[in-house]
Amino acid sequence: MRPSLVLLSARPLDPATGEFLPGTALAAADGHITALGDDREIRALAGASTEVVDLKGAVVVPGLVDGHIHPVSGAELTDGLDLSGCTDVEQVRDALARAVRDLAPGAWLRGWGLDPNVFAGRPVDTAPFDTVLDGVPALLLLFDAHSMLASRRALHLAGVDGPRAFDQATAEVVCGPDGHPTGLLLEDAACDLVERVAPQPTRRERRDRLAAALRAMAATGLTGGHVMDANGDSLALYADLDEAGELPVRLRVAPWCQPGTGPDGVRALIEQQGTGGRLWRTDGVKIFMDGTIDNGTAWLEHPDRDGESRHPFWPDPDAYTQVVATLHRAGVPTATHAIGDAAVRHALDAVAKAQADDWRPVRHRIEHIETVPDDTVRRFAELGVVASMQPTHCCDFTRADHTDNWSRRLGEERAARAWRCRDLQDSGAVVVLGSDWPIAPYPPLGVMAGARHRRPSRDLTRPPHAPQQALTALEALQGMTVNAAYAAGEEGEAGRIALGHRADLTVLAADPLATPATELADVPVLLTVLDGVPTYRDRSL
């Protein structure tokens, strides 16, 4: 079979060893790497229909994979006013005022990326914005996407005038001493009260936004993503793009299992496994064990300094443990959102119990792992649980001096245990890196850079947060290649440049292992190849 793609004058890099492979060219056919060698012998394989690209000495790495991403919800949530650059209440108020001036009468205002640090320790509520949002229905999503601010008008339209009870134990309509909502809504169940009355985009609009977001991801070098939700018609949108040949990123999707899911629901999740299309499939189940530290809904072994983060997301944690056991017996890997130390410990306990009852090689994983003690770190490798980390959260939402909201809530001891990537790596755990987009930007070079420098991406001159937890350049690259493949059970076909492996490739203008961490995010991506087909090509090639 003649190759469909030939890459010449390349420098193929093996992330397993950190060494360049012998040879300067490779060929791909039927979505897989079929030949490696020198330019002359590989060029000779090309036929009339083969696409031949001269890489001019560029570095080729296995396609970069984001270990934790939300494409559909991200495409929707980032369609609005970007508040992520605001650093204080005044900047937020000014941005809202400008947006309101351009708003049609009666239209809803949506904002996203709001950092709770702008409130500088004051209550996170709509009070500072009530004047500018007077009569305007507005929803302002906080950066963690686990909470939002709803304006007075939005709450009125939704009929939300007091506290509510939810199946999600940490969901809350936050109310003041007078019993009236402050505007802060915690977790999906509370946010949905207002979301459901806001105008919704059409299916075509949602499809187009998703397609644009995925194309933009491919342009940053991403060839794959571990998708941590399948809400709404997400799967139908992926199928639509896949069938139309418009899916530029390979997706592994884990649908949610929420509190209250009974045996029939769990059985349906098991039966759903393996379904999908050419470039996407359902594989695994996402479960929440807690919320976030910034909004006080994490599950900590001791309350935070505001007296919050005391409870798990599941009202009955044993029900979560039983779900993990059922999925484990069926060979279904779980991905548990666990941020606080108590949540991580319980998730590990659940895996340990499942393994004790039925030992089989199921690759469970825990997402986020923001603060944990030493004895918890050691258990990841012992149990074979993958540690899925998002280092840019540490970089951009906390501060080295612990004056940020996350650190202040935790106090010095727990804040010093921030995102222990190095300790987990040294313990023998498999560390996978991701962005959690739309929580943080998805460009993978930025994610790898953050794992190395741990500095705020907007100001790399500022000191790093817990620099002793930084990964090496090679470890960061492995976190988005070989380790991501292992976590998905795909190490025999992905994550390396080898004969028979997928032709998912990322071509960079410089060696990511030799580039300083503070410069890595700016290295140009020259070519992205998915399944042997270029999805992005720089004009210089």
Side-chain angles (χ1 to χ4, degrees):
M1 178 186 295
R2 293 287 187 181
S4 58
L5 178 69
V6 162
L7 303 180
L8 303 174
S9 300
R11 300 172 65 203
L13 179 62
D14 182 5
T17 64
E19 301 293 332
F20 285 100
L21 297 171
T24 58
L26 59 90
D30 196 28
H32 293 81
I33 298 171
T34 55
L36 296 166
D38 62 36
D39 280 17
R40 185 173 63 177
E41 63 180 308
I42 300 301
R43 186 190 291 273
L45 300 175
S49 62
T50 303
E51 183 172 4
V52 179
V53 182
D54 183 349
L55 297 183
K56 306 173 185 177
V59 175
V60 184
V61 299
L64 300 176
V65 175
D66 192 310
H68 188 123
I69 200 164
H70 301 273
V72 172
S73 59
E76 294 176 12
L77 296 177
T78 56
D79 184 64
L81 179 63
D82 183 358
L83 298 171
S84 62
C86 297
T87 59
D88 57 41
V89 164
E90 288 299 325
Q91 290 182 13
V92 176
R93 188 183 292 116
D94 290 345
L96 293 175
R98 290 192 297 270
V100 168
R101 285 196 293 269
D102 297 332
L103 207 61
W108 284 65
L109 173 62
R110 288 182 176 270
W112 61 278
L114 180 61
D115 188 339
N117 286 301
V118 304
F119 294 89
R122 297 190 296 273
V124 178
D125 56 32
T126 60
F129 316 124
D130 282 346
T131 301
V132 72
L133 295 177
D134 185 29
V136 177
L139 293 176
L140 310 179
L141 189 71
L142 274 76
F143 80 81
D144 61 9
H146 281 251
S147 51
M148 65 170 49
L149 291 176
S151 67
R152 293 182 183 277
R153 179 59 177 166
L155 291 170
H156 174 74
L157 291 174
V160 178
D161 56 7
R164 301 285 181 92
F166 303 99
D167 287 337
Q168 298 173 1
T170 54
E172 181 182 359
V173 175
V174 178
C175 296
D178 59 1
H180 295 301
T182 67
L184 180 61
L185 307 172
L186 303 180
E187 301 298 344
D188 288 338
C191 295
D192 284 347
L193 295 174
V194 184
E195 282 276 13
R196 68 178 62 145
V197 301
Q200 302 299 317
T202 65
R203 189 182 191 282
R204 182 68 197 190
E205 289 172 334
R206 297 175 67 243
R207 181 194 186 280
D208 290 348
R209 290 174 189 171
L210 173 61
L214 292 172
R215 287 194 300 270
M217 290 177 191
T220 67
L222 278 176
T223 65
H226 296 174
V227 179
M228 292 297 160
D229 67 79
N231 299 328
D233 59 352
S234 296
L235 300 184
L237 291 172
Y238 297 142
D240 188 2
L241 293 177
D242 193 22
E243 292 167 5
E246 299 178 42
L247 192 58
V249 179
R250 191 185 302 273
L251 301 175
R252 176 180 184 263
V253 186
W256 286 359
C257 182
Q258 296 274 37
T261 303
D264 290 345
V266 175
R267 190 176 305 112
L269 288 169
I270 294 171
E271 293 172 352
Q272 190 178 3
Q273 299 299 301
T275 60
R278 189 173 67 87
L279 292 171
W280 71 278
R281 78 174 191 276
T282 304
D283 188 5
V285 171
K286 168 75 178 298
I287 316 177
F288 290 85
M289 199 63 248
D290 66 352
T292 68
I293 288 166
D294 273 294
N295 68 23
T297 59
W299 186 18
L300 297 171
E301 294 179 338
H302 304 285
D304 68 19
R305 294 176 69 182
D306 290 346
E308 297 180 331
S309 284
R310 296 173 295 169
H311 307 291
F313 187 75
W314 286 61
D316 179 6
D318 288 341
Y320 159 87
T321 301
Q322 293 167 12
V323 167
V324 171
T326 301
L327 294 171
H328 179 85
R329 286 194 299 271
V332 178
T334 60
T336 297
H337 168 119
I339 281 179
D341 47 15
V344 176
R345 189 183 301 278
H346 189 88
L348 290 169
D349 287 345
V351 172
K353 186 176 188 306
Q355 291 176 347
D357 294 340
D358 185 347
W359 179 259
R360 64 181 66 206
V362 183
R363 291 179 185 170
H364 300 289
R365 49 192 283 174
I366 295 179
E367 312 297 313
H368 308 309
I369 318 164
E370 292 186 6
T371 178
V372 288
D374 292 346
D375 64 331
T376 302
V377 169
R378 293 192 297 270
R379 297 183 68 197
F380 280 82
E382 293 169 359
L383 296 171
V385 174
V386 172
S388 175
M389 309 289 286
Q390 297 75 45
T392 42
H393 294 194
C394 180
C395 295
D396 291 342
F397 304 130
T398 71
R399 301 171 188 153
D401 63 3
H402 295 171
T403 58
D404 59 279
N405 182 62
W406 184 93
S407 301
R408 180 195 61 78
R409 275 183 173 267
L410 287 176
E412 284 299 311
E413 180 182 352
R414 289 179 293 192
R417 305 191 307 228
W419 286 268
R420 299 179 67 174
C421 297
R422 161 57 49 213
D423 291 340
L424 283 160
Q425 180 83 28
D426 288 349
S427 75
V430 174
V431 177
V432 172
L433 301 181
S435 65
D436 198 13
W437 187 76
I439 310 307
Y442 53 71
L445 294 183
V447 174
M448 291 191 295
R452 293 168 56 187
H453 62 59
R454 296 176 68 95
R455 298 172 184 269
S457 59
R458 294 190 187 93
D459 184 0
L460 294 174
T461 65
R462 292 174 60 185
H465 191 164
Q468 72 276 12
Q469 294 299 333
L471 297 180
T472 68
L474 180 58
E475 290 164 346
L477 178 60
Q478 290 171 340
M480 303 196 81
T481 53
V482 291
N483 292 358
Y486 175 87
E490 299 173 342
E491 66 270 27
E493 60 181 332
R496 300 186 68 179
I497 299 175
L499 293 177
H501 275 48
R502 291 174 181 161
D504 294 355
L505 305 164
T506 303
V507 180
L508 305 173
D511 178 0
L513 304 185
T515 302
T518 54
E519 299 175 14
L520 181 60
D522 296 324
V523 169
V525 174
L526 302 180
L527 185 71
T528 310
V529 177
L530 176 66
D531 210 41
V533 178
T535 56
Y536 169 77
R537 184 170 178 172
D538 186 78
R539 294 178 180 179
S540 65
L541 294 182

